[in-house]
Amino acid sequence: MARPGNLPADRIQEELKTLCGWEVRDAKLHRTFRFDDFIEAWGFMSRCALVAQSMDHHPDWSNVYNTVQVDLSTHDSGGITSLDIELARKMSALA
């Protein structure tokens, strides 16, 4: 399946206006999610994993106790695409 192309910088900035908590860091969409405890953080990651797998689009992320750091980019294209925007929206909704 062909992956979408990189979004232009102005389009990314427009999308960021509707993505609360997300920013561009090191040419990736980035957000830190904080939860009450490890179980809530892990539950969030589990829900996101199911969505990411269904999209065949997987985040770069890490978890330390109640904190989940997420970076999104489309590796095939080497930048931020509509897939990253879509996954960011879904992850925000799951939080």
Side-chain angles (χ1 to χ4, degrees), residues 38-81:
F38 177 73
I39 296 298
E40 283 190 25
W42 192 268
F44 166 74
M45 292 179 76
S46 295
R47 292 186 302 275
C48 290
L50 295 171
V51 170
Q53 184 64 28
S54 73
M55 293 175 65
D56 190 27
H57 190 62
H58 307 93
D60 292 329
W61 57 4
S62 64
N63 164 244
V64 177
Y65 184 58
N66 69 333
T67 303
V68 178
Q69 298 272 346
V70 178
D71 288 303
L72 300 177
S73 67
T74 302
H75 299 118
D76 299 7
S77 70
I80 297 171
T81 70

Side-chain angles (χ1 to χ4, degrees), residues 23-41:
E23 64 181 333
V24 174
R25 185 183 293 177
D26 298 324
K28 298 175 182 177
L29 289 181
H30 174 83
R31 183 168 174 187
T32 300
F33 293 91
R34 286 192 173 71
F35 301 91
D36 288 338
D37 55 31
F38 177 73
I39 296 298
E40 283 190 25

